[in-house]
Amino acid sequence: NYAMFLGIRLHPSRRTRIAAGVLQMKIGVAGAGLLGRLLAYVLSRQGHELSVFDPASGPDARGAAGWTAAGMLSPTAELESADINVFNHGLRSIERWAEIIPALQRHASFDRAGSLLLAHRHDVGAARRMIDLLMQKAPEGHRPQALPMQELARLEPDIQGPSQAWLLPHEGHLNTVEAMEALYASAKAVHWHWNSRVTSLSAHTLHTSSQDYRFDWVFDVRGTGARGDAPPGPDKLLSCRNVRGVRGEIFWLHAPNVQLHRPIRLLHPRHRVYMVPRSGNVIVVGASELESEDRSPVSLRSTVELLAAAHSVMPALAEARVVHSETNLRPALIDNLPRIEHETGLTRINGLFRHGWLIAPALVDDALAELNFEA
């Protein structure tokens, strides 16, 4: 009945395992970004046979948006532009990361020390509007907590300059690069097909330029790579394949003499600048979103604005070294909300927008639960 529900036609050799109560499926995954690696990790641990296809040259090629993200796990802060469903997915995902990260075969930093919202004196008006919005949208127990300056100095001695601060105690962050590497290393017995661009998908079938592959089930998690086969007509607007790219930019600063223990967001009238600590005395600086599909290197304007904003919060960064800058496109749907679509033999997940690391584990769990896959 389970196989019939999923619409799976299985080879006779596989039916014996179903009769014995064990369903080991042959699954194809299009995309080796964050969602693809999470699916590979979760499903391979359940005993399924996984094949993952990606156009990247190898596991460390940084084409996927998951590599570029800062890794903030901020369900409350994201309520500025997201809905309560994203918030709830974020809370669930933080708990799932707390289970997944320690079980990985390679180290990946993960912390739940909360995050900070900061504002300079001349931006307090705009900041208060943001705080009021979060106070209205966030459930009790997850609302911003006003932080006296002496308490801020105790928590983060190197933060100087802001006149207002708020603590979001139930938030956290992880090292996205380490987590991407660790998920790959921990997805045992997975067949990884690099330099393999998926040109289209259909029920039970994954098509590349050189070959068609048949599976019991297929997952499409290509992000912006999925938009080439969007459906025609009115269904296009709400489709996982009607995806656009939203530009993200980050800088890595090497700052051995600066201490930062939790993510911070500087509330500014024009943009949200964030700073996230990483191992190796690195601080990641970036902007929440830029409505552009430009993949070119970071502009002079962004460089000046973002780094000046970071310096205004932490003056000790004056001697930090810019060791890396990066741009990428986050996959977003028309409403900037994630979407899961099922049809017989095929599941699509897309539209993670700027919430990828925040909500990915919960989205994967939801998609698999809807298919009655083992939890």
Side-chain angles (χ1 to χ4, degrees), residues 22-62:
V22 179
L23 176 59
Q24 293 175 295
M25 297 172 58
K26 185 178 179 182
I27 297 173
V29 178
L34 169 57
L35 285 175
R37 294 179 190 222
L38 266 175
L39 282 166
Y41 172 74
V42 171
L43 291 172
S44 64
R45 282 167 60 91
Q46 294 177 5
H48 302 294
E49 181 182 343
L50 270 290
S51 296
V52 182
F53 299 78
D54 197 275
S57 59
D60 297 324
R62 300 188 181 184

Side-chain angles (χ1 to χ4, degrees), residues 147-224:
L147 202 62
M149 289 298 99
Q150 61 269 28
E151 181 63 13
L152 175 63
R154 186 187 69 81
L155 293 176
E156 299 287 356
D158 285 337
I159 293 180
Q160 301 175 19
S163 65
Q164 298 282 325
W166 296 265
L167 174 67
L168 304 177
H170 301 292
E171 302 196 337
H173 68 284
L174 52 72
N175 187 315
T176 60
V177 173
E178 291 176 350
M180 289 285 279
E181 294 171 343
L183 285 168
Y184 168 76
S186 304
K188 303 299 184 183
V190 172
H191 306 290
W192 298 90
H193 298 259
W194 304 108
N195 294 300
S196 297
R197 183 178 297 277
V198 173
T199 55
S200 63
L201 303 101
S202 55
H204 306 289
T205 307
L206 187 152
H207 310 273
T208 69
S209 57
S210 60
Q211 188 175 345
D212 294 344
Y213 296 84
R214 292 282 296 174
F215 296 98
D216 298 327
W217 206 265
V218 170
F219 288 88
D220 182 5
V221 289
R222 292 174 292 166
T224 57

